Structure formats: structure tokens, C-alpha cells
Amino acid sequence: MVKKTFPFLIKGVFALCIGLFLLPATTLGQSKLERANRVFEAGGYYEAIDIYRNIYNDLADASKKPFVLFRIGEAYRVIGNNRQAEIWFEKAIKKEYGDPVVYLKFGDVLMIQENYDKALAQFEEYKKLVPADPIVNDRIKSCELARQWTANPSGYIVESVDFTNSKFNDFSPAFGSEDYGILYFTSSRPGTVGNKTHSATGESFTDIFVTERDRKNTWSTPKPIQGEVNTEFEEGSCSLSSDYKTMFFTRCRVNKRDKLGCEILFAQNQEGTWIKPERIPISGDSIVVAHPSISDDGLTLLFVSDMPGGFGQTDIWKITRNSISDSWGEPINLGAAINTPGREMFPYAHPDGSIYYSSDGKLGMGGLDIYKATQKKDGSWESANMRYPVNSSADDFGVVFQKEKEMGYVTSRRKSGRGGDDIYQFYLPPILFNITGIVKDDKTDKPLAQSTVKLIGSDGTNLSIETGKDGVFKFVLSPSTDFVMVSQRVGYLNGKGKETTRGITASKDFTATLYMASTAKPIELPNIFYDYGRWELRPESMVSLDKLVETLNDNPNITIELGSHTDSRGTDAFNYELSQKRAQSVVDYLIEKGIATDRLKAKGYAASNPKVIDARIEQSYPYLKEGSILNEVFITGLGIEEQREVCHQLNRRTEFRVLSTTYKPADIK
């Protein structure tokens, strides 16, 4: 994944709210390049860009120019201006910047812009120079997956919302009421309490804003929340208790001497005003404790931190308590199934027990992607990428769901936004499955009216319908279910079809044709093969016979005769004996498959019952007309040897006919 930061990540997690106005003054004689480096390394990316660009042409040591070009590109990358980052990384490469990481960073910003072909070229170049780094293999695979996921989107619909978004950064929404008519979010738009400009982004420090929906479904103009939460420092990424009376939020503070970092506080709502924020003492060693998300029962608080004991730059942790009035316990890392050597951020505790979070350390589409983690029976976690369109090639994070629906809001920096980070609405439309089928006679291909069709599903579905004159039937299918359709009609063997909705993530209309065989006429078994003059079944015959086993199991009340036929060549005595043995070989096979012996009868017909041509055979062989009987006189009358051989082949067949439809096993009275 692409390791890129953006406003609240820069302010609240990476740069720790250190602006240029807090940096020690430049000492006399300190070079401008040294000063630029200090600003950059302190997190003042926005201002560092200006300093680097201003000093570039005046550098006395030309060997330092590639480094400056790289630093400009990296600063643009971190603040999210990927187009400019692309330009400056390319300049650094042309100036032969020596650190191979430039190819990795260049590929990252290209991937975020969906330029996957060019990104792959940079990743391949980096791999040549640093073949042992496993990160580049993930980057290469991520490009391939991004293409696949974009071409095959999930069922979610993602749409921008106008009532929260501005040309500034708007992110991390949180519901504030049971009807979802109050929405809190973080923003750097005008109206924030602090009046200082952030040196990392060039925008104001963020505050928490709120918007409300009226009875006409119109959302109000966002305003800073009332009370004591917003300050001159940076507030953001809030989470509310299930009764919406307690807000957990992040605050990042600084002063002239100390890096106070980021901490999590909570505040109570009193008559619409948030009062008396209190700090939650999570870790005294870490300068990053941020992005809280409170569980539905109020007993678990997820958060992000760089505290010791983690797996990467920032991990997702949790603290728990036994009751609302108890103190919080010690921090617990959520483990390697969720956390990586990269950055895990913006956790969301879903009411169903799953966890959503963003990461740049896993396979994904570019930037930060959102992942869903579900807990298995053994307590371990399993994560899955939310894929496109919830995720994009840019940064996607700060998700929140309605409790009972697959819908909510998500933050993204994708191209369709108004500016910087924007909030999008997402939802999963109802997935509808319908099946329309027709029941037909397998010989005439004509619809069979007044047929009963039963639908049986693995979810317990058991429906029945009768076809009209057109033989058509329709059913609504449940999702994630396997179905069997069985057609029944007097004088016919049951027909059967199968369908499944498992793994299908979008609405779909299915079609089916159920063929039924009349019990009034013999039914030929296709592809029953024997060696010349032999009666042992050849292996390729088993497929057809296994279908006959299925037919007998689907029609448990029938008994049948297996009839074997030869052509007219050879003596009658030889053909009768051969055909009887061939018929018996089929019976023996069926008995081995569990069919009761008293349901089966073997009969050898030799050449006594020549084949009668039907409409389907006529379509394949136009010189054979429907109704023709392939006896010796007819075959001899054909002038072409190849045509006569076709007739002999048609006569050599194995058929079954229904003897009874009232069979009951001996153990049933």
C-alpha cells in the first residue's frame, strides 16, 4: 500500500501539531538548506516546500540538488498533492538522485492517480535495486488487484454528499442520534477556534463540526459544536456512545517547549453543549494516542498509537473496562492479523462486533484502504479489503455504519471530491434474485402446461407453483442459497434443475429449462459404449449411467426395463445373446450404485426393434425423415455407405422404459 499522510494524520499522528511558529529560531550562520531540512523533519511540510523551492537555484553545491528535488516531492506526497509529487520525483530521478526509495515513492503517487502501468514500471525498477525488500512485491500485486477490483466492483454504491463537504478537509463522520439525523465530523474550514495556520498543510487546525437533518430531509449548514471540546489546538476523529451523550475525541496539543502530542479525551453532553472534557490516561510513553472508537456496549475503546509493543509505525490498540463506571484497563494490541509494519488508523467498532480500519501496510488499491476485520471462534481476527468502490486509488478512511443497515459514510480523497478529504455516503442496494423457467418435453421441445414445479433451497425454502399453457414458472430466490427445482407431471419422469446465489454480490435474473421425459415411450441412454462383440461397459459410459441413477433416485416409485439393441448385422442368436448381456451389464452397474434389484429388468432385443426417427435426429441427419423406421429394407435403400453406417449406429443403442409408477420398497407397507 502507498504510505501517504494527509491533514489530520499529519497533524494528529505524524507531525504532532508542530508548526513553524513553534520551531526554534534559525541560528546565525545556519544554512538555508539545514533550516529547510529541520522544518521538513519537524513535520512542517507545507512551509518546507516553499523553502526548498526558494533555495534550489541558489545551492552552491550542485550535488545536493537531487536531494532537494526528492524532498519537495516527498513533502507534496505527504500532504496529498500527488500530481506535484509526481513532477518532483520525476525531476529527482532525472537528476540521478541516488536513493532507490525515490522509485518506490514515485510508484506510490502514480498508483494513487490510477496510473498503474507507470507505477508498475517504477516498482520494477526499485525491485532491481532492492530485491530483498518485500514491500515492493506487495506494491506490484496491489496494482494487479486494483485493476481487478475496479473491473469487478462490489455491490456498494458510493456518492458524494454536499452538506458536509467544502474546499477544505472534511473527514471522520460520526452519527449523533438514533435516527442518524445528526452528523459530527472534523474539518479545517473557516470557523475553527484556533487562528493559527498549520505548517504541514497551510490550513487551520481542525475542529469538530455538526450538521442536523430537518423534517424535510434537508441538512443544516455545519457549525462548530457547542461547548468546551474545540480549542486553539487540533481536535478531531470523534466517536459517540450508543446513547449519544458521551463523545470521545482526539486532541493534539503543543506549546513552545514541549511536544505534548495527541491524546484521547471524553466529554458529556448537557443540554446540547459538550462540557468538561477529561483525558483518558492510556499511555505516558507515547506521543500518539488518537482516533478513538467506542464499542456499542461502551466497554471497549479502540484507538491508534505508536506506543512500544506494536508491529509498525502506528497500530490499532484497545482498552476495556467491566462497566461504564469502572476504570479502563491496560492497552492491548489487536495483533498481526490487523496491524502491519505500516500504518493502521481510524478504527471503527461496528455494533455487530466487527472492526473496520484503514491501513497502508496491506494489499490494496493505493493510498490508505479500508479493511473489515471479523473475529473467529478462536478469538483471532481475519481482515478483508472492502474493495472498489468503497476503496479507491486514493486514501479512504474514517468509515461509520448505521447499526442495522449496510450504509453509512466514509472519508475519501478520491478525484471526484470538492477539495482535499471529502465525506461520501455509501450503501448496499437490496440484492434481488429472480428465476424464470420453462418446462418442456425432452423429445418434442414443446412446453408442458399444468406441470408442478417445486423450489427447494438450502435455507429451508420449499415453494410450489403450477405452470400455465406456456409451461413457464417464476420464483424469487434468496441470497447465498443453493436451490433445486423439481418438475412433476402425470405421464412424465420428474425433471430437475439446480441454481445458486452464493457468492453473487449484485442483483441477477436467472433462466432455466426443465426437460421432462414421457413414460409412454422408451428413453434412450446416450453414450453407452462397448467394445466390438463385447458386453462390458467402457469407462466413458459411466457418465450417462450416473445420470440414470440420479433419475431413478429422483423418481423413487418407478421400475424400469433396460433394453439393449444391436444392428441387423450378425446372426440373430449372436445378437440376442450379446444384447441380453449388454442390458444385464447396465443393470449390474445400477445395482452397484444402490438401486434396488426389483426395480430393474434386463432385456436384449437384438435387431428386432429398429430405431424410429424423431424430429431431433432429422435435424442432425436431413436424409432421415421423422417417422422413418431404420429396418433392413430402409437401410439397404440408402445409396451412400456413410449414411447406411449412421443408421446402424443409431440402431445400436441402450434404452430404458418405465414399467410401473407405483413401486414401493419391500420395507414400506
Side-chain angles (χ1 to χ4, degrees):
M1 288 292 295
V2 176
K3 296 182 177 177
K4 184 188 78 65
T5 59
F6 44 90
F8 186 68
L9 297 182
I10 296 170
K11 304 173 195 175
V13 177
F14 296 140
L16 311 172
C17 294
I18 301 171
L20 280 184
F21 63 91
L22 298 171
L23 293 173
T26 304
T27 59
L28 190 63
Q30 178 188 6
S31 75
K32 292 181 179 180
L33 179 57
E34 288 173 342
R35 179 171 179 265
N37 290 339
R38 292 188 67 208
V39 172
F40 179 95
E41 288 156 11
Y45 305 109
Y46 188 79
E47 296 196 24
I49 290 170
D50 284 340
I51 301 172
Y52 279 127
R53 294 184 69 165
N54 288 333
I55 68 174
Y56 179 77
N57 289 327
D58 297 330
L59 284 173
D61 186 351
S63 66
K64 296 185 182 297
K65 287 189 173 185
F67 170 79
V68 170
L69 295 172
F70 172 76
R71 274 289 175 93
I72 295 173
E74 179 66 357
Y76 274 122
R77 184 190 72 84
V78 172
I79 66 174
N81 191 333
N82 294 292
R83 179 65 187 123
Q84 283 296 318
E86 175 187 350
I87 293 170
W88 290 91
F89 283 142
E90 197 157 27
K91 288 181 178 181
I93 291 172
K94 287 180 179 178
K95 286 287 186 179
E96 299 182 348
Y97 178 59
D99 190 338
V101 76
V102 67
Y103 294 102
L104 191 65
K105 303 289 188 179
F106 189 22
D108 287 348
V109 297
L110 290 167
M111 190 175 176
I112 288 174
Q113 297 175 89
E114 298 183 48
N115 193 342
Y116 295 118
D117 288 337
K118 194 172 180 180
L120 276 171
Q122 306 311 312
F123 295 146
E124 293 290 356
E125 187 64 29
Y126 178 78
K127 188 174 182 178
K128 291 178 186 175
L129 299 171
V130 193
D133 189 348
I135 291 176
V136 71
N137 295 324
D138 285 348
R139 297 287 205 280
I140 291 170
K141 186 161 186 182
S142 289
C143 286
E144 297 167 354
L145 286 174
R147 287 169 169 159
Q148 295 174 20
W149 292 340
T150 304
N152 300 282
S154 68
Y156 287 98
I157 303 296
V158 178
E159 300 171 337
S160 180
V161 291
D162 294 331
F163 60 88
T164 59
N165 295 329
S166 66
K167 66 179 182 179
F168 299 91
N169 291 297
D170 308 289
F171 54 96
S172 291
F175 290 119
S177 64
E178 190 173 2
D179 65 355
Y180 310 110
I182 298 176
L183 193 70
Y184 295 93
F185 65 98
T186 305
S187 181
S188 61
R189 66 182 62 200
T192 59
V193 175
N195 58 5
K196 295 183 175 68
T197 299
H198 200 295
S199 64
T201 66
E203 296 184 3
S204 300
F205 280 9
T206 57
D207 278 353
I208 298 174
F209 285 70
V210 64
T211 177
E212 299 186 35
R213 184 175 57 198
D214 63 20
R215 288 179 295 179
K216 295 182 180 180
N217 207 35
T218 301
W219 290 87
S220 66
T221 300
K223 297 179 180 179
I225 62 174
Q226 296 297 309
E228 304 171 54
V229 168
N230 291 329
T231 67
E232 63 180 306
F233 303 118
E234 182 146 88
E235 285 78 34
S237 293
C238 67
S239 176
L240 281 85
S241 59
S242 58
D243 62 2
Y244 305 103
K245 294 180 179 179
T246 305
M247 176 185 287
F248 298 82
F249 65 96
T250 308
R251 176 177 291 162
C252 296
R253 299 187 298 138
V254 294
N255 63 24
K256 293 184 177 181
R257 292 186 177 181
D258 302 310
K259 301 175 183 180
L260 301 179
C262 299
E263 56 191 6
I264 293 173
L265 298 88
F266 69 96
Q268 303 296 329
N269 190 299
Q270 189 174 68
E271 298 180 356
T273 298
W274 297 98
I275 62 171
K276 299 179 181 178
E278 295 182 45
R279 176 178 177 270
I280 299 177
I282 294 176
S283 173
D285 298 327
S286 175
I287 59 172
V288 176
V289 178
H291 304 169
S293 179
I294 190 69
S295 63
D296 202 45
D297 61 8
L299 303 181
T300 300
L301 184 70
L302 302 177
F303 63 94
V304 169
S305 181
D306 65 349
M307 69 177 67
F311 291 83
Q313 298 173 62
T314 54
D315 280 11
I316 296 175
W317 298 70
K318 70 176 180 179
I319 50 176
T320 60
R321 57 187 176 183
N322 294 324
S323 70
I324 300 297
S325 60
D326 283 346
S327 298
W328 292 103
E330 292 297 314
I332 299 172
N333 189 287
L334 291 192
I338 289 178
N339 294 314
T340 71
R343 299 180 177 100
E344 279 64 53
M345 296 180 167
F346 296 98
Y348 169 69
H350 195 288
D352 67 6
S354 59
I355 295 173
Y356 292 80
Y357 64 97
S358 290
S359 175
D360 67 7
K362 298 175 181 285
L363 296 175
M365 297 187 65
L368 285 164
D369 270 17
I370 297 172
Y371 298 81
K372 178 183 180 180
T374 53
Q375 198 164 25
K376 297 186 286 186
K377 291 181 179 180
D378 62 2
S380 62
W381 292 93
E382 186 173 50
S383 291
N385 190 293
M386 289 291 288
R387 301 175 56 177
Y388 180 83
V390 173
N391 287 320
S392 68
S393 64
D395 293 303
D396 305 287
F397 60 100
V399 69
V400 62
F401 282 81
Q402 293 188 13
K403 288 183 181 180
E404 66 281 356
K405 295 181 180 179
E406 281 292 308
M407 66 183 304
Y409 295 96
V410 64
T411 310
S412 182
R413 205 174 178 84
R414 62 190 66 190
K415 291 185 294 184
S416 57
R418 294 181 63 183
D421 303 320
D422 282 318
I423 295 172
Y424 292 77
Q425 182 181 37
F426 69 90
Y427 60 94
L428 187 64
I431 301 177
L432 304 176
F433 300 113
N434 300 288
I435 189 164
T436 301
I438 186 170
V439 181
K440 291 185 175 183
D441 185 298
D442 77 333
K443 290 293 185 184
T444 64
D445 222 30
K446 293 180 179 179
L448 291 175
Q450 284 75 55
S451 299
T452 299
V453 181
K454 294 182 178 180
L455 180 74
I456 302 167
S458 60
D459 63 345
T461 297
N462 195 330
L463 304 174
S464 181
I465 194 172
E466 186 173 283
T467 64
K469 293 181 181 179
D470 55 3
V472 172
F473 63 90
K474 295 181 180 180
F475 291 108
V476 176
L477 305 181
S478 307
S480 302
T481 306
D482 299 318
F483 293 95
V484 175
M485 296 162 286
V486 178
S487 58
Q488 298 174 320
R489 192 176 190 272
V490 175
Y492 283 83
L493 297 177
N494 294 346
K496 188 169 76 171
K498 297 180 181 179
E499 195 52 83
T500 184
T501 57
R502 291 188 188 276
I504 302 177
T505 58
S507 298
K508 182 176 180 179
D509 292 322
F510 297 89
T511 59
T513 302
L514 304 183
Y515 286 103
M516 299 179 69
S518 172
T519 58
K521 297 179 181 179
I523 301 166
E524 185 172 343
L525 297 173
N527 303 319
I528 303 299
F529 300 109
Y530 306 89
D531 290 330
Y532 178 75
R534 304 296 301 174
W535 54 86
E536 295 86 4
L537 289 165
R538 285 167 50 178
E540 52 264 50
S541 305
M542 307 310 176
V543 174
S544 181
L545 293 181
D546 288 341
K547 290 183 179 179
L548 177 57
V549 171
E550 186 176 357
T551 298
L552 290 167
N553 288 330
D554 291 341
N555 297 267
N557 296 323
I558 67 170
T559 61
I560 64 171
E561 174 192 272
L562 275 303
S564 181
H565 303 264
T566 66
D567 59 40
S568 58
R569 294 174 292 190
T571 65
D572 286 347
F574 176 81
N575 285 337
Y576 271 109
E577 180 180 7
L578 180 62
S579 61
Q580 182 65 37
K581 289 180 177 179
R582 286 179 170 177
Q584 188 61 47
S585 70
V586 174
V587 168
D588 293 341
Y589 182 85
L590 298 177
I591 293 173
E592 288 179 4
K593 292 294 182 177
I595 305 301
T597 304
D598 57 350
R599 295 182 65 191
L600 308 171
K601 178 183 177 181
K603 175 71 173 178
Y605 285 93
S608 62
N609 285 350
K611 181 73 174 178
V612 178
I613 299 303
D614 58 28
R616 288 186 177 178
I617 296 177
E618 182 179 356
Q619 289 180 355
S620 300
Y621 306 101
Y623 55 88
L624 300 177
K625 301 305 179 182
E626 183 177 0
S628 299
I629 300 174
L630 302 186
N631 54 29
E632 187 67 22
V633 174
F634 180 89
I635 294 174
T636 303
L638 294 172
I640 301 175
E641 176 60 29
E642 182 180 346
Q643 294 177 352
R644 293 196 293 270
E645 185 56 39
V646 167
C647 293
H648 288 308
Q649 289 175 1
L650 292 172
N651 274 331
R652 296 194 297 270
R653 67 197 187 277
T654 298
E655 299 172 332
F656 75 91
R657 65 186 182 93
V658 177
L659 299 176
S660 169
T661 59
T662 59
Y663 172 79
K664 291 184 180 180
D667 57 348
I668 297 179
K669 298 181 180 179

